[in-house]
């Protein structure tokens, strides 16, 4: 078995965690792949692939070490090559990660096959602007917002050509069930079990008493129009902002790609809700009380 390790070395303790992961996997007889720059950091202990794309194409499993953002950066590539992904958390929350650093002993399960795999739905967003076409594939969400120095914007959302929302807001979010626990949750959207297929639509600070989150059938084609007062931008999975104008066409629909996420514990999603989302809020309040 070959594993590609994709760490975010800017995260606290990620370098130490990566060293441990390398040692454990090699002791299990697993071939470890890294890109040259990363391999140099760890004294050339791994086999090398010249690019991230080649590493993903050559491996059986991708292991990310960092936070949820690290998973998002490589999710579409892992999905494209149909590779399973395991997240190890070295970030603050790591909601999508299956393992914490204290649980690295479970890595042996990769060799025995003692784990579950969930196929996570993804979205494709297509932006047509001035004769050019940009397509992005996301695991979490598509977020369209205005520059907060500017006034509220008018957003119109259509599902299969039928208008379902038209109002002023700071922005709109379209998320997968996986992304429902991210920005959409903070904007008032519901939690959705990630094994489901659907498209969630949530407004960001709508200027309306009637605006509510909506859930669409996964086979709907969603179109977004905006008046684009001032600067409006679109971000796919938190990536680089893409400027949007009133003349641009934005289309969102279910991607043919899906990401296979390894869950070593089983029911990792519900455990994460209890131990990370709920306890995370409790810890914040406890820290505030101590000050």
């Amino acid at each position: 078995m070959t594993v590609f390790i994709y760490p975010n070395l800017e995260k606290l303790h990620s370098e130490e965690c990566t060293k441990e992961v390398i040692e454990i996997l090699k002791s299990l007889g697993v071939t470890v792949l890294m890109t040259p720059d990363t391999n140099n950091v760890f004294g050339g202990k791994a086999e090398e692939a010249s690019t991230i794309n080649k590493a993903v194409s050559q491996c059986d499993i991708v292991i990310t070490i960092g936070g949820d953002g690290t998973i998002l950066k490589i999710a579409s590539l892992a999905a494209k090559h149909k590779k399973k992904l395991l997240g190890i958390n070295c970030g603050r929350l790591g909601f999508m990660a299956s393992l914490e650093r204290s649980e690295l002993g479970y890595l042996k399960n990769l060799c025995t096959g003692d784990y579950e795999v969930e196929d996570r739905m993804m979205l494709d967003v297509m932006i047509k602007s001035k004769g050019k076409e940009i397509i992005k594939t996301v695991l979490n969400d598509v977020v369209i917002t205005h520059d907060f120095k500017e006034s509220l914007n008018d957003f119109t959302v259509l599902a299969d050509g039928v208008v379902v929302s038209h109002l002023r807001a700071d922005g709109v979010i379209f998320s997968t069930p996986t992304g429902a626990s991210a920005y959409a949750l903070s904007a008032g959207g519901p939690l959705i079990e990630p094994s489901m297929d659907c498209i969630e639509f949530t407004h960001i600070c709508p200027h309306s008493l009637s605006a509510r989150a909506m859930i669409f059938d996964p086979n709907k084609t969603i179109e977004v129009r905006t008046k684009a007062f001032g600067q409006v931008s679109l971000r796919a999975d938190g990536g680089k902002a893409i400027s949007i104008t009133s003349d641009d066409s934005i289309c969102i629909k279910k991607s043919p790609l899906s990401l296979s996420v390894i869950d070593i514990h089983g029911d990792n999603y519900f455990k994460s809700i209890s131990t990370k989302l709920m306890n995370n809020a409790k810890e914040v309040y406890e820290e505030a009380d101590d000050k």
Side-chain angles (χ1 to χ4, degrees):
M1 184 173 68
T2 300
V3 170
F4 170 47
I5 299 180
Y6 183 73
N8 179 357
L9 298 180
E10 294 181 0
K11 291 289 185 182
L12 187 65
H13 306 307
S14 63
E15 187 170 335
E16 297 95 319
C17 181
T18 303
K19 287 179 182 177
E20 292 180 50
V21 172
I22 293 171
E23 291 172 2
I24 291 171
L25 291 177
K26 293 188 77 172
S27 72
L28 293 169
V30 174
T31 299
V32 177
L33 268 183
M34 282 183 166
T35 55
D37 289 347
T38 307
N39 199 23
N40 288 339
V41 174
F42 298 97
K45 293 184 178 180
E47 301 294 322
E48 289 189 2
S50 58
T51 65
I52 293 174
N53 185 62
K54 286 187 177 180
V56 174
S57 68
Q58 293 170 10
C59 74
D60 299 298
I61 294 173
V62 176
I63 292 182
T64 65
I65 300 174
D68 288 344
T70 312
I71 293 175
L72 294 179
K73 286 179 181 177
I74 202 166
S76 60
L77 191 57
K80 176 184 175 182
H81 289 288
K82 297 180 170 39
K83 304 298 181 178
K84 292 177 284 190
L85 184 145
L86 170 69
I88 299 175
N89 181 41
C90 282
R92 183 173 180 180
L93 185 61
F95 191 80
M96 289 189 285
S98 181
L99 288 179
E100 300 295 320
R101 187 184 175 190
S102 60
E103 302 174 315
L104 296 184
Y106 282 99
L107 287 173
K108 66 180 183 296
N109 291 24
L110 297 180
C111 297
T112 62
D114 187 18
Y115 58 81
E116 297 178 7
V117 177
E118 271 191 354
D119 285 331
R120 301 289 184 92
M121 173 185 162
M122 304 180 81
L123 294 174
D124 283 341
V125 54
M126 181 172 64
I127 306 120
K128 290 183 179 179
S129 177
K130 297 177 181 178
K132 296 181 180 179
E133 188 173 280
I134 301 171
I135 299 177
K136 298 283 187 180
T137 301
V138 302
L139 174 64
N140 252 13
D141 51 34
V142 177
V143 179
I144 306 169
T145 58
H146 66 81
D147 186 321
F148 287 92
K149 297 176 184 176
E150 307 288 348
S151 301
L152 294 177
N153 265 272
D154 290 336
F155 292 93
T156 301
V157 176
L158 302 90
D160 284 350
V162 178
V163 175
V164 295
S165 177
H166 177 73
L167 50 74
R168 287 195 160 189
D170 281 339
V172 289
I173 305 168
F174 298 91
S175 74
T176 64
T178 298
S181 59
Y183 196 179
L185 177 67
S186 299
L191 285 170
I192 303 172
E193 192 169 358
S195 59
M196 294 178 63
D197 279 4
C198 64
I199 302 172
E200 180 186 347
F201 163 44
T202 310
H203 302 86
I204 304 172
C205 297
H207 197 214
S208 168
L209 293 174
S210 61
R212 292 291 184 269
M214 300 179 68
I215 306 295
F216 294 117
D217 182 280
N219 296 313
K220 293 288 185 185
T221 296
I222 310 300
E223 182 185 353
V224 185
R225 300 171 185 169
T226 178
K227 290 291 186 182
F229 301 120
Q231 182 67 40
V232 175
S233 61
L234 181 150
R235 292 181 184 270
D237 270 354
K240 185 178 179 181
I242 300 169
S243 293
I244 299 298
T245 72
S246 299
D247 297 325
D248 294 343
S249 169
I250 303 169
C251 179
I252 299 165
K253 56 185 177 181
K254 179 182 178 182
S255 174
L257 299 178
S258 63
L259 179 67
S260 298
V261 176
I262 292 175
D263 180 0
I264 283 185
H265 295 293
D267 290 331
N268 188 62
Y269 173 73
F270 295 104
K271 290 177 182 177
S272 291
I273 291 173
S274 176
T275 62
K276 294 182 178 180
L277 283 185
M278 301 302 293
N279 286 353
N280 184 261
K282 181 181 177 182
E283 289 168 5
V284 170
Y285 286 120
E286 289 176 345
E287 287 175 8
D289 290 339
D290 290 340
K291 292 181 180 177

